[in-house]
Amino acid sequence: MRTISQYDAQMYKDELKGLREEMTSILVEMEHRQNTSSREAFSLWWDEGGAMRHYFDLKGKAERIEQILQFSIIEEEEHPRMRGGDPALRRGYGGSEREGQ
């Protein structure tokens, strides 16, 4: 098990969603081409045109992301941009604003 932040987990989930959408699009296109094209034309698109390889590349990426999410502990943390107050003042970079307090 490894620990990932909730923000990294969300990034992985967003990427996974995009991969699934692209895979679905390829499968819909495949179904359309199978129904409207000759066997040879379909084979040119699917095999030689690289659609099959692209689909399985996407599928492999999606499976790796699913494994990362499945075998990770998601650590909830407060994102720096979500903390209250001016981050420059908290870090001591406030200059005259900090001196005036």
Side-chain angles (χ1 to χ4, degrees):
M1 284 265 167
R2 67 190 209 183
T3 303
I4 60 175
S5 74
Q6 66 192 31
Y7 303 100
D8 287 340
Q10 187 59 51
M11 178 192 66
Y12 284 128
K13 288 175 186 177
D14 292 344
E15 184 176 357
L16 185 58
K17 180 181 176 188
L19 292 169
R20 286 180 177 156
E21 288 172 356
E22 193 171 351
M23 289 168 50
T24 299
S25 176
I26 291 172
L27 292 176
V28 167
E29 178 74 12
M30 180 184 76
E31 186 73 25
H32 174 73
R33 286 179 183 256
Q34 277 185 323
N35 292 331
T36 60
S37 302
S38 68
R39 213 171 247 235
E40 295 79 23
F42 174 77
S43 182
L44 269 171
W45 172 78
W46 182 246
D47 298 326
E48 297 172 32
M52 179 175 64
R53 181 180 180 140
H54 184 60
Y55 173 80
F56 284 106
D57 285 345
L58 295 170
K59 187 172 190 234
K61 288 178 187 178
E63 288 171 354
R64 285 190 297 278
I65 291 171
E66 288 170 340
Q67 286 181 344
I68 289 170
L69 290 171
Q70 183 178 7
F71 296 107
S72 295
I73 298 169
I74 298 173
E75 180 180 89
E76 293 193 27
E77 59 184 33
E78 187 177 6
H79 194 281
R81 288 188 223 138
M82 296 173 75
R83 295 183 186 136
D86 184 353
L89 292 175
R90 258 196 327 274
R91 293 186 193 128
Y93 302 127
S96 61
E97 293 176 23
R98 187 168 186 90
E99 293 168 9
Q101 290 181 350

